Amino acid sequence: MKDIYVDFIAEKLSRKPWQIENCAVMFEDGNTIPFISRYRKEKTGGMDDSEVAEVKHWCDVFDEMEKRKGTVLENIERSGALTPELRNRILSCVISTELEDIYLPYKPKRRTRATVAKELGLEGLADLMWEIRTRDPEKSAVSYLSDKVLQVEDALSGARDIIAERLSETASIREGLRAVYRHYRIVSQRTKGSADNPDADKYRTYFNFSMPLDRIPSHNLLAMLRAEKEGILSIGIDADEQRCTKKIYSDFAKGRPMPSEELRRELLLACEDSWDRLLDPSITNEVIKEAKAKADVESIKVFGENLRQLLLGAPVGQKRTMAIDPGFRNGCKIACLDEQGNLLHHEIIFPHPPQNEKVKSLVSVQEMLEKYGIQAVAIGNGTASRETEEFMRKVMLPQGCKVWTVSEDGASIYSASEVARKEFPNEDVTVRGAVSIGRRLMDPLSELVKIDPKNLGVGQYQHDVDQTLLREKLDNTVESCVNAVGVNLNTASAYLLAYVSGIGPSLSENIIAYRTANGEFRSRAELKKVPRLGDKAYEQCAGFLRIIGGDNPLDGSAVHPESYGIVEKMAKDLGVTARDLVGNAELCSKIDAAQYVSADKGLPTINDIVSELIKPGLDPRESASEFSFADDIHDISDLKTGMELPGIVTNITNFGAFVDVGLHENGLIHVSQMGVRGLCDPTKVLKLHQHVKVSVIDVDLQRNRIALRLMR
């Protein structure tokens, strides 16, 4: 990677150039983000996976910029306008807007007023004025009159058109205006055509709205842009015409004294026209697009953090589970699962209105609990969830069996997906949905990787942000979570294996096929027998795959096979075997980590190895905890101002957090109601699925909205 890019990324991330350079080289060599951050700490200086992912993002950005530079250079060279100075300017760019500004005068364009003026032979007059080589533009214009240009004013008007276009294509003028526009106010007005739009009322806050562009919160901007797309709002920048025109003129004339008032007047007219007709629309679009890009990054960052918390939600573990997808008219769909999440039995009960088959349902549930040895009950949090939870309290649960409420977000998407059809080809969508609810309780990560994160209900304007950037962030987040937890090679599904470092969808299918044909893997080394899984893929994936009870105890840990020799030496020096070291904190405390540092493995890696030996394969996720909603709240009409209620955080945004208090409608804790002075960052105050206590501050029955305050 070029030094200009390395230096840019280093400054952007507040890191040293050598760290960035090493990452770039490792990416080029086919290494993945999880592998680099976990097993190459000496080369990165201890950068975590989010920082390594950021470097990867910028490496990809600059790879694309290099391709764009090649296209730009080729096009300018083809036009005969490429000079050594221009080439160097292009090659030195690290900002895309700078590159496009340089290219703009040479870019093929449609027929413009300036093009027409050039066709009339007026470019020479424009040159005289542009280069300040005339004192009297009117007198100079006489020489450019023809049978097509009959009046002096026509000649001057055409010359001004050419100058206006040149001004609009001057990089320094464009960047100067951008800097000014970034501090102007963005304004929005309701459009005349929105009167009949049923969604218009959602955006009434913005019907007559303005705020400095550099201070507008991301969620406000994204809401305004969505309304504009729907034809409800018109959006612009409240720019000062006089100030902008003066700036354009001063930037053009800087350091060049004007020889006459006549020439100054003509050039000012050209500046006014350039601003009004060309620059204002263009710069307005650019700075709003730039602001949206920043809002996208903020929104995607929140989405990524929410997704991380969701995927790393506390698992109940391998328990025989009864999963219930609750409902009224269509009944409650029940699926009974074994410890591995395999479907044992399913049926539908009707304990609620209109059927009210309570006794029959109680008998059925009791029989299923006993017959299938159920150890945990998962109830979806959708329609009839509270009623089903109350119904289950009347059931005699087995010793130690607990009832949990599980988010249904995305379950319907999964149940109708190709993934679900492949898993359960002979079951309908209701059964698949219930199974998904049960598996989410057992292991959220393993189940949720099958669903597009955008359908998991934890985003903020996820359909409005840059979809390429969103996909990159979400893929990185899922990959990071899967590899942080580690994957059991002998039980993992193909969908989970696909996110393991270095594997992907194709190799994951090959691993499953090999496992099916040959039985459980006994060692990590056996992975090399999987078709098309070569040395590089093995290097990248081996440390993140776990084999429990295999031939080598280190295969159940995060110690990479490349470091097994170090562990063997540690054990030998202590007079024990490697098997004796694994999980033995007392023995591991006797290891002098500094003694095993080498040119290839520094102290950070050695310390990681020792930590892993003490607690091999440690799952970083917390243990699941029970929760109960208020018994006397069943409908939004039951809420009263001042009530204090238990709740569960279901989504976090920049403007606040949504909390489930046991109703179909989630309440909102606005950032101003989080118990801290002034506005705050909700992502630093709360976590997804956190159990909280809230008080009701307002209930809007007409719009089904609940305003809450976070209690401390």
Side-chain angles (χ1 to χ4, degrees):
M1 177 177 281
K2 291 182 177 178
D3 289 344
I4 54 170
Y5 299 144
V6 170
D7 292 341
F8 176 90
I9 300 171
E11 184 176 354
K12 187 91 175 172
L13 303 186
S14 300
R15 289 290 181 172
K16 301 292 185 184
W18 65 265
Q19 294 173 286
I20 309 303
E21 179 114 38
N22 284 346
C23 283
V25 170
M26 286 188 284
F27 288 137
E28 291 172 3
D29 195 35
N31 294 285
T32 66
I33 294 167
F35 178 81
I36 292 171
S37 61
R38 180 69 177 81
Y39 296 111
R40 293 296 181 265
K41 289 183 177 178
E42 288 78 17
K43 290 190 175 182
T44 68
M47 293 168 67
D48 63 29
D49 56 356
S50 63
E51 292 174 301
V52 176
E54 188 78 358
V55 176
K56 180 68 166 64
H57 167 77
W58 283 108
C59 287
D60 292 342
V61 166
F62 289 130
D63 282 346
E64 290 302 313
M65 181 174 280
E66 278 296 290
K67 295 175 186 176
R68 179 61 176 162
K69 286 180 180 180
T71 301
V72 167
L73 288 168
E74 185 180 327
N75 290 343
I76 298 177
E77 188 170 32
R78 192 181 296 122
S79 71
L82 187 62
T83 63
E85 181 188 3
L86 183 56
R87 178 186 291 275
N88 288 335
R89 283 182 66 200
I90 290 169
L91 292 176
S92 299
C93 287
V94 292
I95 306 295
S96 60
T97 52
E98 180 186 1
L99 175 62
E100 297 305 324
D101 280 350
I102 294 172
Y103 181 41
L104 190 57
Y106 310 98
K107 205 173 187 177
K109 56 177 71 73
R110 59 180 175 78
R111 201 161 181 264
T112 64
R113 280 166 49 172
T115 308
V116 173
K118 290 175 184 177
E119 292 171 353
L120 294 174
L122 298 173
E123 190 165 20
L125 177 58
D127 288 341
L128 290 174
M129 296 164 65
W130 179 265
E131 296 165 7
I132 313 181
R133 290 190 287 112
T134 177
R135 293 180 56 86
D136 189 343
E138 289 190 8
K139 184 176 180 180
S140 298
V142 173
S143 303
Y144 292 89
L145 299 180
S146 65
D147 57 341
K148 294 182 180 179
V149 184
L150 303 177
Q151 304 292 329
V152 166
E153 179 51 37
D154 293 338
L156 290 173
S157 177
R160 291 198 300 269
D161 285 343
I162 294 171
I163 292 170
E165 186 169 276
R166 288 181 183 176
L167 289 168
S168 74
E169 294 176 346
T170 301
S172 59
I173 288 175
R174 294 184 70 86
E175 186 48 46
L177 269 187
R178 282 191 205 101
V180 172
Y181 270 54
R182 289 178 186 123
H183 298 287
Y184 279 138
R185 302 179 77 86
I186 185 170
V187 296
S188 62
Q189 299 284 339
R190 183 174 185 175
T191 62
K192 292 180 180 178
S194 67
D196 298 326
N197 192 318
D199 294 327
D201 193 54
K202 292 191 301 186
Y203 303 104
R204 63 184 177 185
T205 302
Y206 307 106
F207 284 175
N208 188 17
F209 179 88
S210 71
M211 183 176 285
L213 185 61
D214 58 352
R215 291 192 355 231
I216 187 168
S218 60
H219 61 276
N220 289 134
L221 180 60
L222 292 172
M224 291 166 65
L225 293 174
R226 177 190 287 180
E228 181 186 42
K229 186 182 291 186
E230 294 175 7
I232 295 169
L233 296 179
S234 61
I235 295 176
I237 299 294
D238 189 16
D240 185 327
E241 178 180 359
Q242 189 174 15
R243 181 186 174 191
C244 291
T245 299
K246 284 183 178 179
K247 176 160 183 57
I248 294 168
Y249 178 79
S250 64
D251 285 351
F252 165 75
K254 188 175 183 179
R256 300 191 296 173
M258 207 56 58
S260 68
E261 181 60 28
E262 291 79 8
L263 178 59
R264 180 178 178 276
R265 184 171 58 250
E266 290 296 326
L267 290 171
L268 268 173
L269 286 172
C271 290
E272 290 173 2
D273 177 50
S274 183
W275 178 81
D276 181 62
R277 184 168 54 88
L278 302 171
L279 282 166
D280 181 49
S282 176
I283 300 300
T284 293
N285 287 337
E286 284 185 16
V287 295
I288 291 178
K289 184 179 179 181
E290 180 183 89
K292 181 186 181 296
K294 291 180 181 177
D296 285 355
V297 170
E298 286 185 38
S299 183
I300 290 169
K301 180 181 178 182
V302 171
F303 196 165
E305 183 54 35
N306 284 348
L307 178 62
R308 179 180 297 278
Q309 293 176 19
L310 184 66
L311 294 175
L312 295 181
V316 168
Q318 293 184 321
K319 296 179 181 291
R320 288 189 160 240
T321 300
M322 173 182 285
I324 307 176
D325 184 359
F328 288 115
R329 182 173 299 277
N330 295 319
C332 297
K333 283 68 71 178
I334 297 182
C336 296
L337 313 176
D338 69 13
E339 294 89 342
Q340 281 72 45
N342 298 312
L343 180 62
L344 301 174
H345 172 77
H346 64 84
E347 67 178 81
I348 301 177
I349 60 173
F350 298 89
H352 311 310
Q355 290 89 340
N356 278 319
E357 298 176 353
K358 293 188 183 298
V359 175
K360 182 179 178 181
S361 299
L362 278 170
V363 172
S364 295
V365 170
Q366 202 72 59
E367 289 177 352
M368 284 184 277
L369 288 170
E370 295 171 7
K371 182 176 180 179
Y372 299 105
I374 298 301
Q375 299 167 296
V377 177
I379 301 175
N381 69 342
T383 304
S385 177
R386 292 295 305 285
E387 291 78 4
T388 304
E389 186 180 347
E390 289 180 14
F391 165 77
M392 288 301 298
R393 290 179 189 170
K394 300 183 176 89
V395 177
M396 293 288 292
L397 295 174
Q399 183 70 30
C401 181
K402 297 176 182 178
V403 177
W404 312 80
T405 301
V406 178
S407 170
E408 290 183 10
D409 285 327
S412 60
I413 300 293
Y414 161 78
S415 61
S417 69
E418 182 61 35
V419 173
R421 286 194 292 273
K422 190 173 180 180
E423 283 193 289
F424 302 102
N426 301 318
E427 307 295 348
D428 65 22
V429 292
T430 61
V431 175
R432 297 170 189 162
V435 171
S436 182
I437 290 169
R439 288 178 171 179
R440 289 183 189 201
L441 178 65
M442 298 168 71
D443 188 349
L445 180 60
S446 295
E447 189 63 17
L448 294 177
V449 294
K450 303 172 186 175
I451 303 170
D452 187 330
K454 288 190 291 185
N455 296 317
L456 291 175
V458 293
Q460 173 185 316
Y461 296 101
Q462 60 262 38
H463 300 291
D464 300 305
V465 300
D466 183 319
Q467 295 300 295
T468 301
L469 196 61
L470 177 62
R471 173 49 58 191
E472 176 187 317
K473 177 65 175 179
L474 299 186
D475 283 348
N476 285 343
T477 300
V478 177
E479 183 181 54
S480 171
C481 292
V482 170
N483 289 283
V485 172
V487 172
N488 188 321
L489 181 57
N490 286 319
T491 61
S493 68
Y495 317 105
L496 190 61
L497 284 169
Y499 282 103
V500 173
S501 168
I503 291 183
S506 180
L507 279 180
S508 70
E509 294 288 353
N510 290 357
I511 291 172
I512 297 295
Y514 180 91
R515 192 174 72 193
T516 302
N518 299 280
E520 291 189 348
F521 286 86
R522 296 298 304 166
S523 70
R524 282 170 168 168
E526 194 180 345
L527 276 165
K528 295 180 179 180
K529 297 179 181 179
V530 173
R532 298 179 61 193
L533 200 154
D535 291 342
K536 191 65 180 181
Y538 177 75
E539 175 194 54
Q540 299 298 302
C541 75
F544 303 103
L545 295 170
R546 309 279 183 267
I547 298 176
I548 310 303
D551 298 336
N552 188 334
L554 293 176
D555 285 349
S557 74
V559 177
H560 196 282
E562 67 185 10
S563 298
Y564 284 5
I566 296 174
V567 177
E568 295 288 349
K569 189 172 189 313
M570 290 174 174
K572 183 179 179 181
D573 290 346
L574 291 173
V576 298
T577 67
R579 186 176 293 275
D580 295 328
L581 269 185
V582 177
N584 191 323
E586 184 180 351
L587 273 177
C588 291
S589 67
K590 299 177 181 179
I591 297 172
D592 179 6
Q595 182 181 339
Y596 302 96
V597 171
S598 65
D600 294 330
K601 297 289 184 286
L603 193 58
T605 294
I606 303 302
N607 284 333
D608 279 350
I609 292 171
V610 175
S611 297
E612 190 60 28
L613 289 173
I614 294 171
K615 293 184 178 180
L618 178 66
D619 192 326
R621 297 173 290 181
E622 296 177 354
S623 299
S625 57
E626 290 183 271
F627 176 85
S628 295
F629 292 113
D631 292 336
D632 54 346
I633 302 298
H634 300 278
D635 186 83
I636 189 171
S637 60
D638 295 332
L639 296 177
K640 299 291 184 291
T641 302
M643 276 186 172
E644 296 185 1
L645 305 168
I648 299 176
V649 178
T650 59
N651 194 12
I652 301 174
T653 70
N654 283 334
F655 56 84
F658 290 93
V659 176
D660 183 0
V661 291
L663 304 176
H664 188 64
E665 301 82 9
N666 284 342
L668 172 66
I669 308 174
H670 189 264
V671 289
S672 60
Q673 301 295 332
M674 290 199 168
V676 292
R677 188 171 295 175
L679 298 183
C680 61
D681 181 352
T683 62
K684 294 180 180 177
V685 177
L686 295 170
K687 291 185 177 181
L688 207 63
H689 291 174
Q690 182 177 337
H691 299 172
V692 294
K693 190 173 185 180
V694 297
S695 66
V696 179
I697 59 176
D698 186 54
V699 181
D700 186 338
L701 295 175
Q702 185 176 356
R703 295 195 292 170
N704 281 336
R705 291 188 177 179
I706 307 164
L708 304 171
R709 177 184 291 115
L710 181 65
M711 302 295 291
R712 291 287 172 175

